[in-house]
């Protein structure tokens, strides 16, 4: 039994919570039935008798509110995009799967005709003729090719922006181009790389083209009213799904947008803390080598209250999005198209070197095996040039890879953060579109990662997957597609590994493991309160476990109470 701080005072009375089970993820005491909390910290765990003995003469009160529940460490949303999640979820969702939200369910669109019918219906239901129609969820392999002429047929006067399911592409109708100044003069100013990732004649922009056109659209897409509504959605949604800590590696680098997010997420009563990680791509593009770190450190002042930027961490981008099939592959796509680089290779190399030499932990967005090879080559070159211990370089997303690359990840000391929803959403379709069964089925080869004992975490990258840690665990443990097929069963992971991946391993990937991620004396009292134990429940039932709410730094936060506010 751990020792207890004897400095407790009457003004900070210790509360002992009892539960049906407490899954601590503390290797010295993995299962407990009582946890003592003082202020925002855990002071003891064990059986009720053990906790009472540890507290001795220190005053405490026993609270049985969780006696019929299972307490697990507070869920950590390791990689999400609150602004993108909130804006997309408040748009007209016409996607490849059903989206069940608190206020509405958006059923999937199954083909091209169904997609256009839904989009036309959404437009006809709008009353303000000048209001922007923003729709998210389109995917060419599910819905067929999309032409600007089809959008113009839906409306020649209302601006329409189609946000691809990947969130890395935009399609504009002619009215949107006119409103936002997307014209030949603007297009002529783009870099060669951005032009190569644009189809100006069809109003289609992806990856670097998407980054180029984005600033023209953001003023209306991300106006104050939309952002406030988006953040309020995110607060409720993530709390309802048991999240106590969230992080966004590499969001939009805009101080006004950050302030708008802080206005909601930074409030003292926010149900979770949210951390941001700098977008190194934007910073190194704008500044000289010797200015990059100073400009990055300026972001540390951008958080307020319950939001903050994590120091000495940065996000870089390798290849394109899995949902766009823009990842860089070693073997060609089956339909002959090519992948894309989100950062030109010399730019990536420069950016990685600057942050590596400054001692930063580098999170790298990478989806294809050729993209991963480039990232691992860059990591190895920098390790040999300037050796570092415990660098925790994070391989983010990890869609298509090869088994020998898993061995190399371990050898180089990198860690992995994956989206386990990729095979669930995409494997069945990608088996015959762009890939083939072997590469489609083995996307996110977590089984190999777990067997190699590489630290790994799970993320939703919302809106790329529902921001529901229990659902992510279910996806990683079962690998059952939306169509009901089991794909690459050898890549399934253990239930304990899945729970660790949304708690202690997620904390480790953010360098927060000393403060959170397990239920141990001295750590923050962050708990998620469940109706059942996700480690022992039937694997197929993990996603159906009910969530009572959370405890955030000692503060009880029932879901029902929050939803009524």
């Amino acid at each position: 039994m751990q020792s207890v701080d004897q400095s407790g005072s009457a003004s900070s009375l210790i509360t002992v919570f009892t539960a049906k089970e407490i899954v601590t993820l503390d290797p010295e005491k993995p299962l407990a039935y009582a946890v003592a909390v003082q202020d925002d910290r855990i002071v003891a765990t064990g059986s009720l008798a053990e906790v009472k003995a540890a507290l001795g003469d220190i005053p405490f009160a026993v609270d049985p509110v969780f006696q019929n529940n299972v307490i697990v460490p507070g869920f950590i949303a390791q990689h999400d995009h609150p602004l993108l999640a909130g804006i997309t979820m408040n748009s007209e969702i016409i996607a490849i799967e059903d989206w069940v939200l608190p206020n509405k369910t958006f059923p999937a669109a199954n083909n091209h005709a169904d997609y256009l019918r839904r989009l036309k219906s959404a437009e006809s239901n709008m009353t303000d003729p000048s209001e922007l129609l923003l729709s998210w969820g389109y995917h060419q392999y599910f819905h067929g090719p999309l032409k600007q002429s089809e959008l113009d047929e839906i409306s020649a006067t209302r601006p329409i922006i189609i946000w691809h399911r990947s969130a890395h592409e935009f399609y504009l109708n002619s009215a949107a181009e006119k409103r936002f100044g997307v014209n030949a003069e603007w297009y002529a100013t783009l870099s060669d790389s951005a032009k190569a990732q644009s189809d100006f004649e069809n109003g289609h922009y992806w990856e670097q083209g998407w980054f180029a056109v984005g600033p023209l659209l953001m003023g209306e897409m991300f106006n104050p009213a939309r952002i406030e509504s988006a953040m309020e959605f995110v607060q409720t949604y993530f709390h309802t799904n048991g999240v106590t800590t969230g992080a966004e590696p590499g969001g939009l680098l805009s101080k006004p947008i950050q302030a708008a997010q802080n206005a909601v997420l930074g409030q003292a009563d926010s149900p979770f803390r949210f951390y941001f990680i700098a977008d190194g791509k934007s910073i190194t593009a704008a500044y000289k080598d010797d200015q990059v770190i100073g400009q990055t450190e300026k972001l540390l002042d951008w958080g307020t209250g319950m939001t903050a930027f994590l120091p000495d961490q940065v996000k870089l981008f390798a290849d394109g999005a899995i949902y766009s099939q823009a990842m860089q592959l070693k073997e060609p796509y089956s339909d002959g198209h090519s992948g894309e680089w989100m950062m030109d290779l010399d730019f990536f190399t420069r950016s990685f070197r600057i942050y590596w030499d400054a001692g930063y932990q580098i999170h790298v967005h990478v989806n294809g095996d050729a993209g991963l090879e480039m990232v691992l080559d860059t990591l190895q070159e920098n390790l040999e040039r300037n050796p570092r211990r415990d660098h925790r370089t994070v391989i983010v997303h990890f869609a298509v890879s090869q088994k020998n690359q898993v061995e190399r990840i371990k050898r180089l000391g990198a860690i992995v953060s994956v989206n386990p929803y990729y095979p669930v959403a995409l494997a069945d379709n990608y088996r015959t579109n762009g890939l083939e069964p072997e590469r489609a089925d083995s996307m996110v080869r977590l089984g190999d990662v777990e067997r190699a004992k590489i630290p790994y975490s799970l993320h939703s990258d919302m809106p790329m997957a529902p921001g529901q840690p229990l659902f992510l665990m279910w996806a990683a443990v079962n690998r059952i597609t939306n169509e009901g097929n089991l794909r690459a069963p050898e890549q399934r992971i253990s239930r304990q590994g899945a729970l660790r991946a949304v708690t202690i391993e997620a904390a480790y990937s953010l360098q927060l493991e000393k403060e959170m991620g397990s239920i141990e004396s001295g750590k923050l009292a962050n708990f998620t309160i469940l109706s059942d134990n996700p480690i022992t429940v039937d694997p197929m039932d993990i996603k159906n476990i009910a969530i009572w709410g959370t405890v955030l730094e000692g503060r009880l936060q029932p879901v029902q109470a929050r939803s009524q506010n």
Side-chain angles (χ1 to χ4, degrees), residues 73-96:
F75 290 155
I76 298 172
Q78 193 269 353
H79 180 129
D80 287 288
H81 299 288
L83 184 60
L84 298 187
I87 296 291
T88 54
M89 294 299 104
N90 282 321
S91 73
E92 186 65 32
I93 300 174
I94 311 175
I96 66 178

Side-chain angles (χ1 to χ4, degrees), residues 14-18 48 52 60-64:
I14 292 175
T15 300
V16 177
F17 296 103
T18 56
L48 181 57
K52 286 181 176 180
F60 66 89
V62 175
D63 189 338

Side-chain angles (χ1 to χ4, degrees), residues 82-83 85-86 229-239 265 272:
L83 184 60
S229 177
M231 292 302 100
E232 289 173 351
F233 167 85
V234 165
Q235 270 197 332
T236 299
Y237 184 87
F238 279 87
H239 175 235
L265 299 185
F272 48 79

Side-chain angles (χ1 to χ4, degrees), residues 8-65:
S9 64
S11 62
S12 57
L13 181 68
I14 292 175
T15 300
V16 177
F17 296 103
T18 56
K20 183 168 60 177
E21 290 178 297
I22 301 175
V23 182
T24 68
L25 297 183
D26 174 1
E28 295 185 3
K29 188 182 287 290
L31 192 63
Y33 300 91
V35 55
V37 174
Q38 184 178 36
D39 299 324
D40 62 348
R41 298 281 166 174
I42 300 163
V43 296
T45 64
S47 67
L48 181 57
E50 288 175 325
V51 169
K52 286 181 176 180
L55 295 177
D57 295 332
I58 302 174
F60 66 89
V62 175
D63 189 338
V65 63

